[in-house]
Amino acid sequence: MTPTIRTAQVADAGVLARFAARTFFETYAAANDPADMEGHLAAKYGDAIQAAEIQNPALVYLLAEVDGALAGYALLRLEHAPDGTALERPVELVRFYVAREWHGHGLAHTLMAACVEEARRRGGRTLWLAVWQQNSRAIAFYRKSGFAVAGTVAFRLGSQLQDDHMMTLELESAGSREPVGPR
């Protein structure tokens, strides 16, 4: 399996919207109120929503494909940091999802390496993300990728206000580490 990583185009909006909604639902539905999930999915995912995001110059979607089929994606937001934090030239990793059938195949490591490279290419010095404190699998992956917990941020899912870990990766030091990727 050799994944291809590429930047999303407007023509990808429909496939991306369905994939993003599916992976979010699979990851969080069991632990959240169904009405909250339904509202979140409707507000965040749809052909027009993803098309607008793809066209936004402050956002970058990276798509991971295997044999031409979408297997994972990431969304980066340039020059954005949580209120009250002082991060040098921040890039937020807003979303990072790999389809369950590709877990354990190294695709996430390849996609993360592409995120780090894209953030650097865009002038970022700090890559940061928010991860639900109950998502131990994701937290372990981010730690393995070099991220460290740097605080907390709030995430609203419908009627619920949840605490997420804020994790950061200094991009200058990321280059001196062994490259992120499958072993």
Side-chain angles (χ1 to χ4, degrees):
M1 182 242 1
T2 304
T4 302
I5 309 293
R6 67 177 179 86
T7 304
Q9 304 300 312
V10 173
D12 299 312
V15 169
L16 176 59
R18 287 182 289 286
F19 183 90
R22 176 178 65 102
T23 54
F24 187 89
F25 183 85
E26 289 173 352
T27 303
Y28 300 110
N32 287 283
D33 178 84
D36 288 340
M37 285 298 296
E38 184 179 325
H40 183 81
L41 294 174
K44 298 294 182 180
Y45 305 108
D47 294 17
I49 295 167
Q50 270 58 64
E53 289 176 341
I54 290 167
Q55 294 175 81
N56 183 335
L59 301 174
V60 179
Y61 269 108
L62 298 178
L63 306 181
E65 298 174 324
V66 177
D67 296 329
L70 188 57
Y73 80 98
L75 174 61
L76 299 168
R77 182 173 10 189
L78 309 173
E79 309 257 342
H80 180 261
D83 292 338
T85 61
L87 300 177
E88 187 176 357
R89 295 197 330 244
V91 175
E92 179 184 8
L93 181 52
V94 180
R95 297 183 191 133
F96 187 94
Y97 291 90
V98 172
R100 284 190 179 168
E101 59 269 24
W102 290 106
H103 288 187
H105 294 278
L107 188 133
H109 292 287
T110 301
L111 182 57
M112 182 58 75
C115 290
V116 168
E117 181 56 35
E118 186 68 18
R120 280 190 186 125
R121 192 177 78 71
R122 301 288 185 126
R125 299 281 295 265
T126 306
L127 185 60
W128 74 275
L129 58 87
V131 58
W132 191 30
Q133 292 178 357
Q134 296 181 37
N135 192 342
S136 57
R137 181 184 178 99
I139 293 166
F141 170 75
Y142 295 136
R143 282 192 171 128
K144 186 175 180 180
S145 298
F147 287 83
V149 174
T152 59
V153 293
F155 179 82
R156 177 157 301 280
L157 183 72
S159 64
Q160 299 296 312
L161 189 61
Q162 301 173 353
D163 287 327
D164 286 0
H165 287 306
M166 177 183 146
M167 300 182 79
T168 61
L169 174 67
E170 297 305 318
L171 295 176
E172 286 184 299
S173 63
S176 62
R177 294 180 332 100
E178 198 171 305
V180 175
R183 297 190 190 277

